[in-house]
Amino acid sequence: GTGGLGKTGIANAVLHSQPVKDRFGDSRFFIACNLADTFEELIKLIVRAVAPARDPNQAVIPSLISHFKKKPTLLILDNCESVVDYQTRLDDSFLEGLPDTVTLLITTRITAQFAKLEGFQLGGMDHQTSKNLFVHYRDFRDEQSVMRRTKTY
């Protein structure tokens, strides 16, 4: 969906929810895909987050796949549309060998269809829900400051 619908906010809420913490523990990773322009850069971001001490002699994707087999892992790929050709490359290069221990949450502004994933689309949030989510995750905690910065519709 378009920017501002709350995709990143929902992804963060999932990442920090207690049931997700209970299930995945320290194997919860949030990857800001907008920091990568290419599929190769995206994979490097994932490696740095997930397996920084991987064997440098092993190919990158097989190394990640091997790491993911060790325990249940949540991998959130946020703003994935920023990576050129990510959809085809994820399908062909990455998802093919991804073990069942990995749960993926992918946010994107474009409609994406992955052959190897089941997905669903979320509708937009109403203004009050969006504001509540913003208030919950912002750096400042003053409700009046938020009211001054947001327009009431």
Side-chain angles (χ1 to χ4, degrees):
T2 59
L5 291 179
K7 296 175 296 296
T8 299
I10 289 171
N12 270 307
V14 168
L15 181 72
H16 297 293
S17 72
Q18 195 58 51
V20 169
K21 287 179 180 179
D22 293 343
R23 172 156 182 189
F24 298 104
D26 63 354
S27 290
R28 298 172 292 122
F29 304 97
F30 184 97
I31 309 298
C33 297
N34 56 308
L35 299 176
D37 293 323
T38 66
F39 178 76
E40 288 75 17
E41 290 174 4
L42 173 60
I43 293 299
K44 287 177 185 177
L45 286 173
I46 295 170
V47 167
R48 278 196 296 260
V50 174
R54 75 173 186 83
D55 180 354
N57 298 318
Q58 188 177 13
V60 176
I61 290 179
S63 176
L64 276 174
I65 302 290
S66 175
H67 182 82
F68 285 141
K69 289 179 180 177
K70 295 177 183 176
K71 59 184 173 178
T73 301
L74 172 64
L75 183 61
I76 297 175
L77 303 178
D78 188 52
N79 293 322
C80 216
E81 75 281 351
S82 61
V83 179
V84 175
D85 202 27
Y86 78 92
Q87 188 171 329
T88 303
R89 299 288 300 279
L90 273 178
D91 247 356
D92 294 343
S93 301
F94 190 63
L95 299 177
E96 184 68 36
L98 210 55
D100 291 337
T101 54
V102 176
T103 299
L104 276 177
L105 191 160
I106 299 173
T107 71
T108 178
R109 290 183 179 193
I110 61 174
T111 301
Q113 299 294 323
F114 296 97
K116 296 169 183 66
L117 294 178
E118 292 180 30
F120 58 93
Q121 291 183 329
L122 299 176
M125 288 186 271
D126 60 66
H127 179 74
Q128 186 60 44
T129 304
S130 296
K131 187 184 112 191
N132 290 345
L133 199 57
F134 175 76
V135 169
H136 183 75
Y137 285 105
R138 72 183 191 288
D139 291 334
F140 52 92
R141 298 283 182 208
D142 179 305
E143 179 75 15
Q144 291 303 315
S145 296
V146 172
M147 293 307 291
R148 287 191 297 271
R149 289 174 174 81
T150 59
K151 192 174 192 178
T152 303
Y153 295 99

